[in-house]
Amino acid sequence: MTAALVAGLVAGYGIAVPVGAVATYLVSLSARTSLRTGACAALGVATADGLYALLATLGGSALAAALRPVLVPLRWASALVLAVLAVRGAVVAVRQYRGHRLAARSAPPPPSAARAYLSLLGITLLNPTTVIYFAALVLGTRTSEAVAPLEEGVFVLAAFAASASWQLLLAVGGALLGRMLTGHRGRLVTALLSSGVILSLALRMVVAR
């Protein structure tokens, strides 16, 4: 049981800690909205990681093999969604800076907590590399002996908890950043930097092999 717990925590942090386009967008969203919205978005990412960990334990190599033919289309779809978010974020930031208006007057209302959760869940689910990652870990550490369902459940829950803790930390960091940079110029610079990073990471997803 302890081994399953440790394996799940290591797997969850292993997939969550590397900062990519989704993590960058999460920080930016928390900075522009609120900690509550950012926390719900963070849990959306963690839910996707937990679901893929569950699918990996249940399906193993068969599920990973089934996803490989659609890996490229899903990667393109994920990159497209992130690119749209990056461009939209930059355009809204420039409009706010030029007009010197309140965000409520110059931009659409911020997403609700539920919408933020579903959006980040959907974006993260578009990345099948996650399930292949978990499948490789499960198959690489599984012995010839049968694994108890309880141990598999502990592994999945630990992976979810690890991912959730890291994503929530990013959300808190984004909320603190948003409070520090309250001026028009500060928000413009951070929004443009965030959009640039998201766009570059989206392009890397497309060209990745």
Side-chain angles (χ1 to χ4, degrees):
M1 195 68 65
T2 302
L5 175 64
V6 173
L9 291 174
V10 172
Y13 283 119
I15 195 64
V17 169
V19 177
V22 174
T24 304
Y25 178 69
L26 173 60
V27 173
S28 175
L29 178 65
S30 301
R32 291 184 289 106
T33 56
S34 66
L35 178 58
R36 180 172 179 267
T37 301
C40 289
L43 291 177
V45 178
T47 300
D49 288 342
L51 287 175
Y52 272 148
L54 176 62
L55 290 176
T57 57
L58 296 178
S61 58
L63 182 60
L67 284 175
R68 289 187 185 278
V70 297
L71 183 62
V72 174
L74 286 176
R75 184 182 293 126
W76 272 92
S78 181
L80 179 61
V81 170
L82 290 168
V84 170
L85 290 173
V87 173
R88 180 180 180 276
V91 170
V92 169
V94 171
R95 286 178 178 174
Q96 290 180 3
Y97 179 74
R98 287 181 176 178
H100 287 282
R101 300 172 181 174
L102 295 175
R105 296 179 56 189
S106 60
S112 63
R115 182 179 175 185
Y117 172 86
L118 294 175
S119 297
L120 269 295
L121 172 63
I123 292 173
T124 309
L125 286 176
L126 284 174
N127 184 14
T129 306
T130 308
V131 73
I132 296 175
Y133 163 83
F134 279 116
L137 284 179
V138 171
L139 296 174
T141 57
R142 182 171 293 177
T143 62
S144 57
E145 300 178 358
V147 180
L150 182 58
E151 293 184 3
E152 292 183 342
V154 169
F155 173 84
V156 173
L157 289 177
F160 169 79
S163 177
S165 64
W166 179 257
Q167 305 302 338
L168 287 172
L169 180 63
L170 293 179
V172 170
L176 293 176
L177 180 65
R179 290 185 179 182
M180 292 172 57
L181 301 172
T182 56
H184 291 290
R185 183 169 298 178
R187 288 190 176 276
L188 173 66
V189 171
T190 54
L192 292 179
L193 285 176
S194 174
S195 295
V197 172
I198 294 173
L199 189 58
S200 64
L201 291 172
L203 292 175
R204 286 183 59 186
M205 291 176 60
V206 172
V207 300
R209 297 294 181 181

